[in-house]
Amino acid sequence: MPGPPAVVAAETRNTGKSDMYPIGVVSLFAELIDPVAQHGVVGRACERGLIEILHESPRAFTSDRHRTVDDRPYGGGPGMVLCYEPTRGAIGALRQRLPAGVRALVLSAQGRAFDGALAAELARAPGLLLVAGRYEGLDERIIEAEELEEVSVGDYVLSGGELAAAVVIDAVARLLPGVLGHEESGMRDSHMDGLLGYPQYTRPEVIDGMAVPEVLLGGNHERIRRWRLKLALGRTWRRRPDLLRARVLNEEERELLDEYRVESASADQNS
Ligand code: 9D3
């Protein structure tokens, strides 16, 4: 049931509420970001006026007959480069509609790695301006003149910045006041922060010979809490030791992780 586009042209901006978080997006392909703004947590935040996503295309700021937005790179080489004038035109139009002090980012494979700490910083800003490149990138002078911060979403090559912009929008929106319901936000500031998730199960109790762990059926909430914390610690230790090194463990957590290690060592011997 896709409704009207949630990513709207910049001139159709709503009346700005004080608790509204505006996000400007410069992109040639707003259609790639729109699904994120139409569904789930971000979709509801848009509907409720907690965030607003404004879009401008560099295409609208061309003056030649062919609406040229890109050109060949100086020095030669493959691909095309987004041109200075149309891109700055789109950025300028959005800046007029955004408050002073927005964080201005360009999504780029050459950027600093996006993570939860940066998402939290961005959520504390009065709004966000995201520039999504296509082709081989944008003319470097756009980044310099607009003082854009270069941000990457991971070490792999995408075809453009739009999906990365959608990732940033989703991660930031979840941290804005009022965006998550009580149940969801309760999960956020829990003691499991900075750890991978624990295993989840739902009905039926046994399927294809695989049973739900006994502890989860008993209703002993303290045992369940400790089992989940142990599994979260164990998985993080095995899969993401970098996350564990960045986190201080309390005494209970150290004990539970030691238990996990002992149990997984004896399990290794059995296999
Ligand atoms: C070395 C020449 N190019 C590789 C084909 C560099 C390059 C240009 C353009 C690499 C990627 C892109 C398009 N990617 C993005 O715009 C992008 C991105 C990414 O590719 N990976 C992770 N995060 C991001 S944010 C934007």
Side-chain angles (χ1 to χ4, degrees), residues 138-153:
L138 15 163
D139 189 309
E140 190 72 15
R141 293 167 293 186
I142 302 165
I143 298 170
E144 194 180 317
E146 297 284 353
E147 299 190 51
L148 302 178
E149 303 174 54
E150 294 184 79
V151 172
S152 160
V153 296

Side-chain angles (χ1 to χ4, degrees), residues 107-110 133 135-137 151-161 164:
L107 288 311
S108 155
Q110 287 73 44
Y135 320 120
E136 273 312 294
V151 172
S152 160
V153 296
D155 295 337
Y156 37 78
V157 178
L158 298 172
S159 306

Side-chain angles (χ1 to χ4, degrees), residues 41 174-190 193:
V41 168
R174 300 172 57 79
L175 302 177
L176 298 174
V179 165
L180 293 188
H182 286 302
E183 207 167 309
E184 293 166 307
S185 59
M187 284 153 54
R188 191 170 76 210
D189 49 16
S190 79
D193 244 31

